[in-house]
Amino acid sequence: MSPSAGQMLIDHITPRLRSSIPRVVQLFGGEDHEELLQDSITVAAQMLHSVESAGKDVTPGNIAHYVILFMKSGRRSQSSSRADVMAPGTQLDQKCTVQSLDEQVSYGHDSDESVTLGEILATDREDPATLGARNVDWEEFTRSHDPRYSTLLKGIAEGRSIRESGDSAWSGYQLRRRLAVELRAYLGADAIPDSLRAPAWRNNLIAHREKQACR
């Protein structure tokens, strides 16, 4: 089969897929029909390549039929897994389900109050990975800079004044200024604004609660 013949078959297969995919193939997760159509064309091209390698003749109707069966079974061009929890095949087998974090969940059978999955999973505590990375940054910084910075940082964290830390006001002020300059150079100019910025999920949660209250 020549490349031009293969392209002609694809041109005849695509309209059949375009009319059938939205009607018979179930969407999963974030899929949409246009995405599934493009994926089904990829599957058709893969099938044409296979039959060409085997030296067999096919019609556009044959390929379109088997592509639709392929897609209906939950298989996709990039994966046919039935073990991956996010795979369409796994969800089609009802082995798992994907739910939105905005889905309402009741507190109990006797309660009219409900919350979203996102509110249940949300926490005001910082992400452990962020905390761990910050600790690593501090350790690396204090090991490679003035040893007095460790004492100064500990005093700042404990809320102690410069005099309580044992330094004169002038020397303590100068040390703090030098610490600020070197810390900004070490962590980057965006480190301080990033540390003060609220996580996006928290802002989304606050906005969602305000929206619910307005209703």
Side-chain angles (χ1 to χ4, degrees):
M1 186 185 302
S2 65
S4 58
Q7 184 60 52
M8 288 179 60
L9 280 174
I10 288 292
D11 291 341
H12 285 85
I13 293 168
T14 300
R16 299 168 187 257
L17 297 177
R18 187 180 298 278
S19 63
S20 301
I21 292 295
R23 292 187 294 104
V24 300
V25 179
Q26 184 177 348
L27 298 177
F28 293 98
E31 293 180 334
D32 58 55
H33 288 125
E34 187 60 32
E35 176 188 350
L36 286 186
L37 174 62
Q38 298 302 320
D39 197 71
S40 66
I41 294 173
T42 303
V43 173
Q46 293 171 345
M47 289 186 178
L48 283 173
H49 178 72
S50 297
V51 297
E52 178 186 2
S53 300
K56 298 180 180 178
D57 293 327
V58 292
T59 66
N62 293 144
I63 295 294
H65 172 74
Y66 287 109
V67 168
I68 292 170
L69 292 180
F70 187 97
M71 302 297 288
K72 284 177 65 178
S73 69
R75 301 164 74 186
R76 299 294 183 262
S77 64
Q78 74 281 1
S79 173
S80 299
S81 173
R82 306 192 86 82
D84 180 1
V85 295
M86 298 297 292
T90 310
Q91 297 176 58
L92 191 63
D93 294 341
Q94 298 184 345
K95 293 181 180 178
C96 73
T97 180
V98 178
Q99 294 180 321
S100 169
L101 290 178
D102 292 328
E103 183 173 343
Q104 296 288 328
V105 180
S106 175
Y107 273 118
H109 297 295
D110 300 329
S111 174
D112 293 331
E113 294 186 42
S114 62
V115 295
T116 64
L117 285 175
E119 290 175 314
I120 292 176
L121 298 176
T123 175
D124 290 333
R125 299 172 65 182
E126 287 192 279
D127 178 42
T130 303
L131 290 174
R134 185 177 300 138
N135 290 336
V136 171
D137 288 339
W138 281 118
E139 291 173 3
E140 291 291 333
F141 176 79
T142 53
R143 277 201 301 266
S144 58
H145 291 74
D146 192 325
R148 292 177 296 173
Y149 288 165
S150 296
T151 304
L152 180 59
L153 289 168
K154 183 178 180 181
I156 293 173
E158 293 174 353
R160 289 186 282 137
S161 66
I162 294 177
R163 292 187 180 278
E164 290 174 330
S165 299
D167 295 322
S168 67
W170 176 248
S171 63
Y173 176 73
Q174 293 288 357
L175 188 62
R176 281 196 179 194
R177 288 194 62 181
R178 190 150 54 87
L179 168 61
V181 172
E182 294 184 14
L183 187 59
R184 187 184 296 272
Y186 179 80
L187 295 178
D190 296 332
I192 295 176
D194 286 345
S195 67
L196 298 175
R197 186 180 299 115
W201 63 261
R202 186 177 298 169
N203 292 334
N204 292 340
L205 182 59
I206 293 173
H208 179 70
R209 286 174 174 168
E210 291 177 348
K211 184 178 179 180
Q212 292 293 106
C214 292
R215 289 179 179 175

